[in-house]
Amino acid sequence: MAGRLIVFKIGSSTLVDAEGKLDRPFIRSLCDQIVRLRDAGDRVVVVSSGASAAGRDVLGFSERPSDIATLQACASVGQTALTEAYAEVLRERGIACGQVLLTRRDVVDRDGYLNARNTLTRLLELGAVPVVNENDTVSVAEFTFGDNDMLGAIVSGLVDADLYIIMSDVDGLYTANPQRDPTAELIDVVTEVDHSISAMAGDSASSFGTGGMSSKVRAARAMMAAGIPTVICEGRRKGVLLDVAAGKKVGTLFQPQSDGGHEMGRKLWIGLAEVVRGTLVLDEGAARAVLGNGASILPVGVTRIEGDFASGEVVNVTSPAGDLIGRGVVRYSSEDMGRVRGLKLDVIARFLGDDAAVPAIHRDELLVF
């Protein structure tokens, strides 16, 4: 099927060679695949790690620096080399390459989120290939994405992608760590990310990357909520982008429900882009209502709160067992939530007034995972 919008993310451990240097022949092969996808009518957005690794090489560091200032300096130097590596090959094919650097601060603000979407959309309209990365040179801990798996998910939501591909150093999600357990089996398709699926994800084994399988599964889970199919696959496999785009059996496909559809933009912004300030823990009945019916969260269904948050900020929503089931904009501060949790709305209205008796999180501001 032509005319799709495909976002793919490639990690540092896949993009560099054994010495930690940018693997330019490999980048050329990626660009060749991008060209073939575009020839078929598809549009492509690249979310690429590798700036810090490239900068370490240029600046002569044999190991990853430990201080933030040096890491950011490496990212600054490496970002130029990384983008030019893509741009040089694409330029030979007559294709423009646009660099887009983001921090979570850029998309936390709703206007910033829309501006980022407009920029990416316009680049695609002009026939350019956007190359997106986190702006590590200026990001601070509170506003980092944590890893580019989630950045790729946010970008996929921004542009309303038809497919998100996470190119990894392993060929998908296994039932156990295949490096330690020879009986581990590759999972072909995931239709629901429950506790058992989350438990199968391990940590990164690479000194170059920051995201392990757990971060990839979290990103895929968010994409399933957004109605965007996601594939985790081995990035070094020959022609992997073309094979995934063609629907071949490659890696692990996280397939949204067929009746899902894309969530509206504001819900995606809430669930993916905003900084989480706390957690609401629900009882069994409230968790079932949210997961089964997409219901609003009422104070009576909240058993515990965690964190310090204000009204209008974003919080995680978990089951009694601690499983993440959603994320939304809370209507009460953590202090007020502590007062009203476990109470019905009519009781809250009797003591605090009708204006104070509102859902803890309205369903229109809740992204259910």
Side-chain angles (χ1 to χ4, degrees), residues 113 157 222-223 225-226 263-273 367:
Y113 183 90
M223 290 292 89
E263 289 280 12
M264 58 184 179
R266 177 169 170 77
K267 280 193 177 184
L268 290 179
W269 169 66
I270 291 168
L272 301 180
L367 180 68

Side-chain angles (χ1 to χ4, degrees), residues 185-204:
E185 296 181 356
L186 179 68
I187 301 174
D188 296 325
V189 181
V190 173
T191 57
E192 180 184 3
V193 179
D194 55 17
H195 182 73
S196 64
I197 292 294
S198 298
M200 294 175 188
D203 295 324
S204 175

Side-chain angles (χ1 to χ4, degrees), residues 121-138:
T121 300
R122 188 57 179 148
L123 281 169
L124 291 166
E125 290 173 347
L126 293 170
V129 173
V131 176
V132 184
N133 196 2
E134 181 166 6
N135 192 353
D136 293 318
T137 61
V138 297

Side-chain angles (χ1 to χ4, degrees), residues 77-298:
V77 172
Q79 191 62 56
T80 303
L82 177 65
T83 304
E84 184 56 31
Y86 287 103
E88 180 181 1
V89 181
L90 291 172
R91 193 183 304 120
E92 295 172 1
R93 313 297 202 276
I95 300 173
C97 173
Q99 182 187 61
V100 180
L101 298 178
L102 296 172
T103 66
R104 191 179 284 272
R105 191 192 299 273
D106 296 321
V107 294
V108 162
D109 174 73
R110 180 64 175 162
D111 289 338
Y113 183 90
L114 295 175
N115 287 338
R117 183 178 69 183
N118 291 340
T119 298
L120 289 166
T121 300
R122 188 57 179 148
L123 281 169
L124 291 166
E125 290 173 347
L126 293 170
V129 173
V131 176
V132 184
N133 196 2
E134 181 166 6
N135 192 353
D136 293 318
T137 61
V138 297
S139 58
V140 294
E142 183 181 16
F143 289 102
T144 59
F145 294 103
D147 56 74
N148 274 1
D149 300 318
M150 188 54 72
L151 173 58
I154 291 172
V155 170
S156 297
L158 274 170
V159 299
D160 195 24
D162 296 296
L163 176 64
Y164 177 37
I165 304 172
I166 301 177
M167 302 173 69
S168 177
D169 51 3
V170 294
D171 49 0
L173 177 64
Y174 280 80
T175 54
N177 188 332
Q179 296 179 348
R180 302 174 184 171
D181 186 349
T183 67
E185 296 181 356
L186 179 68
I187 301 174
D188 296 325
V189 181
V190 173
T191 57
E192 180 184 3
V193 179
D194 55 17
H195 182 73
S196 64
I197 292 294
S198 298
M200 294 175 188
D203 295 324
S204 175
S206 167
S207 62
F208 299 108
T210 58
M213 186 55 68
S214 59
S215 74
K216 293 169 178 54
V217 170
R218 284 195 298 270
R221 182 179 192 172
M223 290 292 89
M224 291 175 74
I228 300 175
T230 299
V231 174
I232 300 174
C233 57
E234 183 185 359
R236 288 270 173 171
R237 170 177 165 154
K238 184 177 180 180
V240 66
L241 288 177
L242 301 175
D243 286 346
V244 172
K248 294 183 179 180
K249 188 176 179 181
V250 179
T252 302
L253 168 64
F254 289 76
Q255 180 65 59
Q257 299 295 324
S258 58
D259 59 351
H262 291 201
E263 289 280 12
M264 58 184 179
R266 177 169 170 77
K267 280 193 177 184
L268 290 179
W269 169 66
I270 291 168
L272 301 180
E274 255 287 19
V275 175
V276 177
R277 302 295 184 179
T279 299
L280 302 186
V281 181
L282 306 186
D283 61 27
E284 289 287 357
R288 283 196 302 270
V290 169
L291 289 171
N293 304 318
S296 298
I297 297 173
L298 303 180

